[in-house]
């Protein structure tokens, strides 16, 4: 019920907006016609001795019409017309006041036309014009017709009585006014239906847009989840590969880069001794630490797989070595008990690092391979240390602790 009332209100606002724009079109037309007729009648005043009695009245009424139309064009600006719930009644009053006023003024002119010239052409044309142009409820047109037609009929009776001359006035009116009412009723229904469909279509488009945005948001969430390791919440191997691709695409000139492969020492023994839940807890703590260190140095950390992690850093070789030392120390400071480790009674890691000046994607892949080889060497050299390979492949440095 509430939605239906909202729809009815929206239709009403759109219809008034539509009619206000049409009102400006009518105002332009009538202002032009009033100006021409006023000029012609002024010519009659100065250059003709006939019909002088009614000319001042014609001039006065057409001048009033001209001023009303000019006011509409000046104060009802199309770009400023924005019908809302608050100003709905105001604009509706302006619209109906305009239609009723010009019909009443034209009726006065037509009464004189009927009395002096035996025709009601101006009223018939304007009434038909209003029926065709404006889309307003039928009763609002019907009531103004009941107000304006009787004076014209009375004028016809007073001027010619009941005679053959009156047929020339009554016949056109009896044809044009009903036809105008039929046209007006049809146009109003059609315009209302079109407005309703337009509003419903807009609502559907808004709903579709919101659904599309929601779907895109969910897709982004799924994409992010697909690039996250579910246990540690670090970027996964796939995200790491994407990062390498991104770095490779941005290589416009040689860039200093370090890749650190980090492996938890004797992790299988930890799982076998304390169980997989304790093993997972250790992975989560190490991952959180590596993520914190990576964020601190504007680096990228990811879970390589199993108990292995990787960090990519764009720093000089000496600084990267300092980062490796910090990782080794901070992991020991976690004080995760590991009695079956062969290097300490707490959890430790081994690190393989490769530092190089990278100028293309192939060198980047090679650097990762060298970091993996360096990790293997670090394990062979007693673990709980890091081993660094230079990108020029000439110098290998082992730095045990």
């Amino acid at each position: 019920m509430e939605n239906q009332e909202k729809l009815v209100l929206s239709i009403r606002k759109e219809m008034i907006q539509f009619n206000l724009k049409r009102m400006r079109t009518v105002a332009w037309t009538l202002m032009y016609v009033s100006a021409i007729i006023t000029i012609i009648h002024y010519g009659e005043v100065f250059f003709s001795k006939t019909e002088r009695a009614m000319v001042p009245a014609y001039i006065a009424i057409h001048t009033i019409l001209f001023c009303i139309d000019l006011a509409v064009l000046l104060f009802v600006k199309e770009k400023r017309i924005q019908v809302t719930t608050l100003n709905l009644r105001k604009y509706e009053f302006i619209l109906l006041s305009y239609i009723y006023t010009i019909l009443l003024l034209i009726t006065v002119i037509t009464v004189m036309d009927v009395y002096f010239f035996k025709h009601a052409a101006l009223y018939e044309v304007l009434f038909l014009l209003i029926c065709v142009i404006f889309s307003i409820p039928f009763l609002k047109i019907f009531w103004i017709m009941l107000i304006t037609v009787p004076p014209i009929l009375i004028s016809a009776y007073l001027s010619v009585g009941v005679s053959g001359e009156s047929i020339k006035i009554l016949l056109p009116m009896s044809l044009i006014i009903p036809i105008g009412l039929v046209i007006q009723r049809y146009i109003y229904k059609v315009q209302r239906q079109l407005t309703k469909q337009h509003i419903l279509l807009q609502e559907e488009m808004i709903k579709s847009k919101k659904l599309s945005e929601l779907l895109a948001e969910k897709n982004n969430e799924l994409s992010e989840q697909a690039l996250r390791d579910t246990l540690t919440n670090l970027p996964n191997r796939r995200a790491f590969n994407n990062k390498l691709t991104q770095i490779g695409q941005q290589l416009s000139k040689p860039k200093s880069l370090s890749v650190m492969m980090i492996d938890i020492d004797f992790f299988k023994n930890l799982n076998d001794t304390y169980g997989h839940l304790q093993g997972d807890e250790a992975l989560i703590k190490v991952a959180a630490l590596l993520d914190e260190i990576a964020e601190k140095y504007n680096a990228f950390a990811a879970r390589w797989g199993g108990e292995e992690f990787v960090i990519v850093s764009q720093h000089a070789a000496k600084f990267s070595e300092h980062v490796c030392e910090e990782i080794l120390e901070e992991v020991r400071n976690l004080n995760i008990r590991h009695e079956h480790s062969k290097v300490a009674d707490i959890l430790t890691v081994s690190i393989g690092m490769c530092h190089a000046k990278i100028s293309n994607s192939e060198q980047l892949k090679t650097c990762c391979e060298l970091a993996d080889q360096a990790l293997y060497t670090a394990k062979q050299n007693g673990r709980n240390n890091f081993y660094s390979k230079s990108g020029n492949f000439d110098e290998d440095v082992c730095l045990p602790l």
Side-chain angles (χ1 to χ4, degrees):
M1 189 64 179
E2 185 180 345
N3 289 338
Q4 187 64 27
E5 290 176 357
K6 185 179 177 182
L7 176 61
V8 170
L9 183 62
S10 298
I11 292 172
R12 189 177 165 192
K13 288 192 288 188
E14 288 289 331
M15 293 288 282
I16 292 174
Q17 185 99 20
F18 171 82
N19 284 315
L20 287 171
K21 292 179 181 178
R22 292 296 182 93
M23 184 174 73
R24 286 181 55 85
T25 303
V26 172
W28 272 114
T29 305
L30 291 184
M31 190 173 71
Y32 173 75
V33 171
S34 295
I36 296 299
I37 292 176
T38 303
I39 292 169
I40 291 172
H41 284 311
Y42 266 114
E44 289 184 36
V45 170
F46 291 104
F47 301 106
S48 175
K49 300 295 181 182
T50 61
E51 303 173 350
R52 188 168 292 180
M54 78 291 295
V55 166
Y58 279 142
I59 292 173
I61 295 170
H62 279 292
T63 302
I64 294 170
L65 278 170
F66 181 88
C67 293
I68 291 172
D69 293 324
L70 182 61
V72 167
L73 295 173
L74 288 176
F75 298 107
V76 184
K77 297 288 187 181
E78 188 170 340
K79 292 182 179 178
R80 294 180 186 174
I81 298 173
Q82 189 62 47
V83 181
T84 64
T85 307
L86 296 176
N87 62 24
L88 181 65
R89 291 184 180 278
K90 181 187 81 171
Y91 278 123
E92 195 171 42
F93 175 78
I94 291 172
L95 176 66
L96 292 176
S97 296
Y98 176 74
I99 294 172
Y100 286 12
T101 301
I102 61 173
L103 261 178
L104 288 170
L105 290 171
I106 292 299
T107 300
V108 175
I109 295 173
T110 304
V111 165
M112 290 189 289
D113 284 344
V114 169
Y115 188 82
F116 290 104
F117 306 111
K118 311 302 182 288
H119 71 80
L122 187 60
Y123 180 87
E124 292 160 0
V125 170
L126 187 66
F127 183 81
L128 195 59
L129 183 70
I130 288 172
C131 289
V132 170
I133 290 182
F134 291 106
S135 295
I136 58 178
F138 176 78
L139 284 177
K140 296 186 184 299
I141 288 290
F142 183 76
W143 285 116
I144 189 63
M145 182 207 73
L146 290 182
I147 295 170
T148 55
V149 170
I152 296 172
L153 298 179
I154 292 170
S155 177
Y157 177 76
L158 292 175
S159 62
V160 295
V162 180
S163 64
E165 287 292 324
S166 62
I167 299 298
K168 295 179 182 179
I169 301 171
L170 298 177
L171 184 60
M173 289 189 69
S174 63
L175 290 172
I176 290 173
I177 291 177
I179 290 171
L181 291 173
V182 171
I183 291 172
Q184 191 275 334
R185 188 174 178 83
Y186 174 76
I187 287 176
Y188 174 72
K189 284 186 175 181
V190 170
Q191 185 60 43
R192 184 179 174 82
Q193 185 63 30
L194 288 174
T195 303
K196 181 180 178 180
Q197 291 175 354
H198 175 70
I199 291 170
L200 291 175
L201 180 61
Q202 280 189 323
E203 288 178 354
E204 287 300 319
M205 289 175 65
I206 291 170
K207 287 179 183 177
S208 297
K209 185 179 179 181
K210 287 182 179 178
L211 286 173
S212 298
E213 290 173 353
L214 182 61
L215 183 61
E217 185 180 335
K218 293 298 180 183
N219 284 337
N220 288 336
E221 288 178 6
L222 289 173
S223 297
E224 289 179 6
Q225 289 175 6
L227 297 174
R228 286 275 167 185
D229 177 60
T230 54
L231 177 64
T232 63
N233 201 37
L234 279 179
N236 57 20
R237 180 75 170 269
R238 182 181 174 187
F240 176 74
N241 291 335
N242 290 347
K243 182 67 175 179
L244 292 186
T245 302
Q246 180 186 347
I247 292 172
Q249 290 172 346
Q250 294 174 346
L251 285 173
S252 56
K253 58 182 180 180
K255 184 178 292 186
S256 181
L257 194 105
S258 296
V259 178
M260 306 170 202
M261 293 287 184
I262 303 144
D263 182 77
I264 295 177
D265 294 327
F266 302 106
F267 184 72
K268 184 177 182 303
N269 294 349
L270 180 74
N271 270 338
D272 292 342
T273 304
Y274 303 105
H276 288 280
L277 290 178
Q278 290 294 326
D280 288 347
E281 189 66 28
L283 285 172
I284 292 170
K285 287 181 179 179
V286 171
L289 173 66
L290 294 177
D291 189 40
E292 183 180 333
I293 292 173
E295 186 177 356
K296 177 181 174 182
Y297 295 114
N298 195 26
F300 179 81
R303 187 181 182 187
W304 183 258
E307 67 272 22
E308 287 189 67
F309 302 89
V310 61
I311 292 179
V312 180
S313 170
Q314 297 180 24
H315 292 99
K318 287 294 181 183
F319 187 82
S320 297
E321 290 174 3
H322 164 74
V323 174
C324 290
E325 291 170 354
E326 183 176 343
I327 292 171
L328 292 170
E329 183 180 355
E330 291 298 330
V331 169
R332 289 193 295 268
N333 288 340
L334 290 175
N335 285 319
I336 299 172
R337 190 168 181 78
H338 191 358
E339 294 177 349
H340 288 77
S341 171
K342 297 179 181 179
V343 292
D345 58 355
I346 56 174
L347 189 76
T348 59
V349 295
S350 299
I351 305 173
M353 184 188 79
C354 174
H355 178 82
K357 285 274 190 180
I358 304 296
S359 57
N360 55 60
S361 298
E362 288 302 317
Q363 290 180 357
L364 186 57
K365 293 177 182 177
T366 302
C367 189
C368 292
E369 292 171 1
L370 289 173
D372 197 44
Q373 293 174 14
L375 174 62
Y376 181 76
T377 305
K379 290 180 180 181
Q380 284 185 324
N381 284 278
R383 303 182 189 255
N384 190 23
N385 62 14
F386 76 90
Y387 188 83
S388 175
K389 273 186 172 291
S390 173
N392 57 22
F393 312 126
D394 294 332
E395 296 180 5
D396 294 350
V397 182
C398 180
L399 298 170
L401 298 181

